[in-house]
Amino acid sequence: MSFWTDALRALQQVTLLQHKVEQALTTAEEARRHSIETRERVIRLETLIDIAMKPRPAPPPLQLPES
């Protein structure tokens, strides 16, 4: 192989590698967004559970009308 053939093949490999890195970055960004959304949903669920688990004060006793 000549120098030019080797150089062209190296450039093609660099271009392919760059494309794969860009795809990996896109995938990582999507995973980060999904993780944030999931965390926010879990926080909302935890808040709802905390509110539901808090003891509520007993209602005042019924007072019967005097006869």
Side-chain angles (χ1 to χ4, degrees):
M1 290 190 179
S2 71
F3 168 78
W4 295 111
T5 305
D6 291 342
L8 182 58
R9 179 161 287 146
L11 287 173
Q12 287 173 336
Q13 289 176 345
V14 168
T15 303
L16 179 62
L17 181 59
Q18 182 179 3
H19 177 69
K20 287 183 177 183
V21 167
E22 289 171 358
Q23 283 181 327
L25 289 173
T26 300
T27 301
E29 179 61 25
E30 290 171 1
R32 185 187 71 82
R33 278 196 306 266
H34 180 70
S35 173
I36 291 170
E37 291 170 4
T38 302
R39 181 178 32 182
E40 290 172 353
R41 293 175 74 186
V42 167
I43 289 170
R44 286 194 299 267
L45 288 171
E46 287 175 337
T47 302
L48 288 172
I49 291 170
D50 285 344
I51 291 170
M53 299 281 295
K54 285 187 180 180
R56 296 192 177 126
L62 293 176
Q63 292 183 352
L64 297 175
E66 295 179 21
S67 16

